[in-house]
Amino acid sequence: MTLAVGIVAFFAHWGGLIYHPEQILMNLRGILDDIFTLALLVEMRDLFRHLSPTRLLDIVATVLARQLALAHSVEGVLPVAIAISLIVLVRGIWTRFFEKAEIEEG
């Protein structure tokens, strides 16, 4: 329900920019911030439905991706990019070895 309200609110807030495409670039940070907020709602919903380390890593990666996308300057971007890379690597290893073992046992 919250996600549906969020999507409706997003289109209500930013829908007017369809008629003024030049305004999209001027408001890109706000649009991206709202998109990442909706993505975070989806990730949180999945985490509550399926409690697992991979879902938690997805949330952390989404928050870091938001920080990377909305960075004001290049400084500080490299540690965030490295952190995202490590999270993707750990998630891949976890999925490959640990979740596979859980499926075979079940």
Side-chain angles (χ1 to χ4, degrees):
M1 180 68 177
T2 304
L3 182 61
V5 171
I7 292 171
V8 169
F10 176 82
F11 283 115
H13 187 258
W14 299 111
L17 295 181
I18 292 175
Y19 303 110
H20 306 287
E22 68 278 358
Q23 295 290 319
I24 292 174
L25 290 177
M26 294 177 65
N27 296 303
L28 190 59
R29 295 184 74 73
I31 294 170
L32 286 176
D33 189 32
D34 288 349
I35 289 172
F36 275 109
T37 300
L38 290 173
L40 199 55
L41 283 173
V42 171
E43 295 293 341
M44 292 297 290
R45 185 190 65 188
D46 287 345
L47 177 66
F48 291 137
R49 285 186 181 168
H50 313 283
L51 289 175
S52 72
T54 54
R55 300 288 185 199
L56 184 58
L57 287 172
D58 289 344
I59 290 174
V60 173
T62 302
V63 170
L64 289 173
R66 177 186 178 273
Q67 183 178 356
L68 185 66
L70 298 176
H72 288 285
S73 66
V74 178
E75 296 177 18
V77 170
L78 183 61
V80 174
I82 291 171
I84 291 172
S85 301
L86 289 174
I87 288 172
V88 169
L89 180 68
V90 168
R91 190 188 189 292
I93 291 170
W94 187 273
T95 303
R96 169 87 174 164
F97 296 109
F98 295 106
E99 287 187 0
K100 183 179 179 182
E102 290 174 6
I103 292 172
E104 290 174 357
E105 290 175 3

